[in-house]
Amino acid sequence: MDLPLRKIIHVDMDAFYASVEQHDNPELKGKPIAVGGQHRGVVAAASYEARKYGVRSAMPSKTARERCPHLIFVSPRFARYKEISRKIREIFYEYTDLVEPLSLDEAYLDVTENKKGMESANLIAREIRQKIFEQTGLTASAGISVNKFLAKVASDINKPNGQKTIHPDKVENFLEELPVEKFYGVGKVTANKMFSLGIYKGKDLKKRSLEELDRLFGKSGRHYYNVVRGIHTSEVKPHRIQKSVAVERTFFEDLFDEQQIDEKLENLGQELHQRLQKNNILGRTLTLKIKYRDFSMFTRSITKEEYFSSPEQYFNTGKKLWELRPYNKPVRLLGLSLSHLNTEEKKQISIQLKIPFEEFENQ
């Protein structure tokens, strides 16, 4: 199977939220810090100094404190992270318009053909990382290879502040020696299942037939069969069709008071409205998300015939959904999201406009 050889870069910022906090407050440099709630809640990001103690993102703050008693907690500043993320993306666009952001701190770039006319994707990645450092004071790591899967795996190899290129002629050997838990889509449960079957590295996975992998892993079987052979055809998608817009807040102190809930829902409604207005987006389905102190979750949605269009509508509908909740327990997180967006309609129009008329003329 002949696949097009592309030049894909995966850029991943190093401990992004924590690094921003250390950069903006030099007193935090070299110290173990966690971005998130100190008493309740979870760690949103951990500095490399904190990671040495086993502190990780999504870990309960209490556990993080137990692992690192001198851990410094810092409240997140999402507006600041977004501001820096925008600067970083501007650097990406100096080289290519084929940029697919995965989050505020990572993105894929297809530089097969680039604005600078540079042959070496390795040099492009180095330049980008240097510019990021000069303009933000932060470090980034990069992976370079022939597809997105390999580029993402490569970006993790020389972290922090490094990069790794997997050349086309080295792909086969690299994948055969790669531990299966490093393969994209292989979580802890799947990895343990593979270990029990004697599959520890890519070369072990490669020995299994497609039929066998389908039987053992269902729909994911074909994915594992392909990626271990370097087959990953997903292109860098610069214009993803947005399917939902969400805002949510994790509270450092659990909420129980009805007046506090109303206030938070109103704030969320206003923030959601601002975000939608900025991007000229409307939607018909509003979803309320509640996470309780014990980490149990509740979501409920309402779909309207007409588009939602004001903060008051988000608040009033969110309040109705709140009243449908099954539990009266302290609340750790509240979120509002809008789906069934007008972006999906725009996608349909776009697809219709791109139909080549020659196909009909030649039939």
Side-chain angles (χ1 to χ4, degrees):
M1 182 178 184
D2 290 328
L3 296 171
L5 282 182
R6 297 195 295 260
K7 297 176 183 177
I8 308 295
I9 301 173
H10 178 253
V11 180
D12 193 6
M13 299 301 294
D14 300 321
F16 184 51
Y17 296 173
S19 296
V20 171
E21 298 304 332
Q22 287 178 319
H23 175 268
D24 289 359
N25 182 357
E27 289 181 11
L28 297 174
K29 282 188 177 175
K31 295 179 181 176
I33 75 163
V35 177
Q38 179 171 358
H39 302 294
R40 295 185 178 91
V42 296
V43 173
S47 68
Y48 282 100
E49 295 83 0
R51 293 182 191 187
K52 290 174 184 174
Y53 293 87
V55 177
R56 295 285 182 268
S57 59
M59 177 181 284
S61 300
K62 184 182 175 185
T63 307
R65 173 71 77 191
E66 288 168 356
R67 292 193 178 184
C68 182
H70 56 296
L71 189 63
I72 300 167
F73 281 89
V74 182
S75 297
R77 299 179 298 147
F78 291 106
R80 175 65 172 148
Y81 309 147
K82 287 175 186 173
E83 175 193 348
I84 294 174
S85 181
R86 280 194 293 272
K87 285 184 184 176
I88 293 165
R89 285 189 195 166
E90 283 171 12
I91 295 170
F92 295 160
Y93 287 121
E94 289 178 24
Y95 294 85
T96 178
D97 289 328
L98 295 178
V99 177
E100 181 180 345
L102 302 178
S103 59
L104 291 178
D105 62 340
E106 62 174 319
Y108 290 116
L109 291 74
D110 187 331
V111 295
T112 312
E113 294 179 10
N114 57 84
K115 295 177 182 179
K116 305 268 187 179
M118 295 171 68
E119 284 292 317
S120 170
N122 191 48
L123 286 178
I124 292 174
R126 204 172 295 284
E127 267 192 27
I128 286 172
R129 291 176 46 240
Q130 182 62 30
K131 284 187 180 182
I132 289 172
F133 182 72
E134 289 169 358
Q135 295 183 29
T136 69
L138 303 174
T139 63
S141 295
I144 307 100
S145 198
V146 295
N147 61 43
K148 287 161 67 173
F149 163 69
L150 285 163
K152 188 168 175 65
V153 172
S155 67
D156 206 38
I157 291 173
N158 289 324
K159 262 186 168 293
N161 196 24
Q163 64 183 62
K164 169 74 176 174
T165 300
I166 304 172
H167 292 280
D169 56 352
K170 299 282 175 46
V171 166
E172 188 176 347
N173 289 341
F174 176 84
L175 288 170
E176 286 184 354
E177 292 303 316
L178 189 68
V180 289
E181 63 269 26
K182 297 283 188 183
F183 279 82
Y184 179 73
V186 177
K188 281 186 180 178
V189 174
T190 304
N192 286 331
K193 184 175 180 180
M194 286 186 176
F195 297 158
S196 71
L197 295 163
I199 302 171
Y200 299 98
K201 290 186 174 183
K203 58 187 172 186
D204 304 319
L205 187 60
K206 203 171 179 180
K207 291 172 186 172
R208 306 291 178 133
S209 68
L210 176 58
E211 292 73 24
E212 196 175 2
L213 291 175
D214 277 343
R215 180 172 51 79
L216 290 167
F217 302 103
K219 290 180 181 177
S220 299
R222 181 171 292 275
H223 166 72
Y224 303 143
Y225 181 85
N226 285 333
V227 293
V228 77
R229 289 165 172 77
I231 301 168
H232 189 255
T233 56
S234 175
E235 296 178 0
V236 172
K237 301 178 182 72
H239 303 298
R240 283 180 167 179
I241 299 296
Q242 199 163 2
K243 294 188 176 178
S244 67
V245 178
V247 292
E248 57 183 49
R249 286 288 173 272
T250 300
F251 308 113
F252 299 133
E253 302 292 333
D254 295 331
L255 303 186
F256 198 77
D257 180 67
E258 198 75 19
Q259 189 175 339
Q260 283 183 310
I261 297 292
D262 283 358
E263 183 184 308
K264 300 301 181 189
L265 280 175
E266 188 173 3
N267 292 342
L268 286 169
Q270 288 171 348
E271 187 180 342
L272 183 61
H273 181 66
Q274 287 169 1
R275 195 173 293 187
L276 292 161
Q277 264 198 324
K278 186 177 178 183
N279 296 292
N280 196 25
I281 292 173
L282 297 169
R284 295 191 296 109
T285 299
L286 188 75
T287 302
L288 173 71
K289 176 180 172 183
I290 305 169
K291 186 186 283 184
Y292 295 99
R293 178 193 285 173
D294 60 3
F295 290 97
S296 59
M297 193 97 77
F298 167 76
T299 59
R300 185 63 66 87
S301 303
I302 288 180
T303 301
K304 291 174 38 173
E305 289 296 319
E306 308 271 322
Y307 285 120
F308 286 91
S309 59
S310 71
E312 293 76 25
Q313 286 182 318
Y314 302 132
F315 170 70
N316 292 331
T317 308
K319 185 67 178 168
K320 285 179 189 173
L321 294 169
W322 165 258
E323 287 161 3
L324 295 172
R325 73 196 185 284
Y327 314 115
N328 272 323
K329 297 190 291 190
V331 172
R332 170 164 293 196
L333 174 148
L334 277 178
L336 287 176
S337 63
L338 202 66
S339 53
H340 284 115
L341 306 180
N342 58 343
T343 53
E344 294 173 36
E345 289 184 4
K346 290 174 186 173
K347 181 183 179 184
Q348 292 302 317
I349 293 168
S350 171
I351 288 169
Q352 288 173 17
L353 290 174
K354 287 178 182 174
I355 293 173
F357 293 105
E358 293 84 358
E359 286 185 12
F360 295 98
E361 291 170 2
N362 295 330
Q363 281 179 358

